[in-house]
Amino acid sequence: GAGVSQSPSNKVTEKGKDVELRCDPISGHTALYWYRQRLGQGLEFLIYFQGNSAPDKSGLPSDRFSAERTGESVSTLTIQRTQQEDSAVYLCASSLRRNYSPLHFGNGTRLTVT
Amino acid sequence: RKEVEQDPGPFNVPEGATVAFNCTYSNSASQSFFWYRQDCRKEPKLLMSVYSSGNEDGRFTAQLNRASQYISLLIRDSKLSDSATYLCVVKRAGTYKYIFGTGTRLKVLA
């Protein structure tokens, strides 16, 4: 079946511009996560969505970052006034809301801020 | 101390060798355990879940030791294509957070 889909695959933007990243989770997966991975570093949790519950935004690094999710489907991560330190791969993952369910990742969006 | 710890490596092994990685976790409430592999500049991909009784998938064997709070991954007959970073992932019971180790880098040499 279809996996997690992210778009765009690559995004180059100028410092100060806004960007919007999109994630389409696996159908039926109620849990959706965004992570950031800088070059050579580990995964950094950003935000978690579960159904219609309030999201856990505790990992968002600043108020320039925001994310939305429509029901149990598509999510968008928006970064306003991008900075060079925002350059990273942004990974989306989804899972079933069960204790033993693994995460399934999309291919990621590679963001470069020039 | 990090909640999930892994030896970063790199582990350099010849083709055909057997190699094992350990991952320790500090929270005894941890319930679900996974191994992922991540190739350079790619997303993490699920390699295998780790079950209490241990489990095997082809050349890969995963073990869980709850008493000592570690999980292990054994790779037999290493292939060049096994070269990657192996991530240990732990999830606590009743929570939604997956805790990632920083990964162990494996290089299989011809």
Side-chain angles (χ1 to χ4, degrees):
Chain A
V4 177
S5 176
Q6 290 188 248
S7 61
S9 298
N10 286 283
K11 177 72 177 178
V12 180
T13 190
E14 291 180 354
K15 178 181 171 181
K17 301 281 189 184
D18 296 353
V19 295
E20 189 174 278
L21 313 180
R22 177 189 166 104
C23 172
D24 199 347
I26 293 172
S27 177
H29 281 195
T30 58
L32 186 147
Y33 302 73
W34 283 98
Y35 291 88
R36 177 170 72 178
Q37 188 172 32
R38 292 193 167 113
L39 190 63
Q41 304 294 311
L43 273 72
E44 180 184 356
F45 168 79
L46 296 178
I47 190 168
Y48 162 77
F49 292 94
Q50 171 55 50
N52 294 316
S53 302
D56 177 358
K57 304 180 182 181
S58 62
L60 295 178
S62 76
D63 58 9
R64 295 187 296 104
F65 287 72
S66 62
E68 293 184 351
R69 186 181 185 194
T70 309
E72 295 183 354
S73 61
V74 171
S75 174
T76 55
L77 176 68
T78 301
I79 309 173
Q80 295 178 308
R81 305 181 302 282
T82 52
Q83 304 293 313
Q84 287 187 329
E85 63 261 27
D86 298 335
S87 296
V89 176
Y90 290 82
L91 290 160
C92 176
S94 70
S95 75
L96 294 169
R97 195 183 178 219
R98 292 177 196 160
N99 276 330
Y100 301 97
S101 291
L103 284 176
H104 298 270
F105 285 88
N107 293 339
T109 293
R110 185 173 305 280
L111 175 66
T112 303
V113 182
T114 60
Chain B
R1 184 187 172 191
K2 292 181 181 177
E3 187 165 348
V4 177
E5 296 206 66
Q6 297 183 252
D7 181 340
F11 285 62
N12 297 322
V13 302
E15 266 188 294
T18 295
V19 61
F21 314 131
N22 277 350
C23 164
T24 58
Y25 60 94
S26 59
N27 194 314
S28 59
S30 299
Q31 182 181 54
S32 308
F33 308 89
F34 310 93
W35 283 104
Y36 283 73
R37 74 169 277 167
Q38 185 172 27
D39 294 283
C40 189
R41 300 172 76 85
K42 297 282 190 180
E43 76 279 15
K45 291 186 177 176
L46 178 69
L47 180 64
M48 55 200 306
S49 301
V50 185
Y51 303 122
S52 296
S53 55
N55 45 302
E56 188 174 305
D57 183 1
R59 298 181 293 108
F60 299 86
T61 300
Q63 296 281 349
L64 167 63
N65 186 317
R66 286 194 184 275
S68 300
Q69 294 186 196
Y70 74 86
I71 65 172
S72 63
L73 178 68
L74 181 80
I75 305 174
R76 289 182 299 279
D77 188 23
S78 299
K79 311 290 185 192
L80 293 175
S81 57
D82 294 334
S83 297
T85 296
Y86 290 83
L87 302 171
C88 169
V89 182
V90 170
K91 186 167 178 279
R92 275 182 246 152
T95 74
Y96 53 81
K97 283 200 175 174
Y98 294 79
I99 311 300
F100 285 79
T102 51
T104 296
R105 197 165 161 213
L106 171 67
K107 290 185 181 179
V108 181
L109 308 171

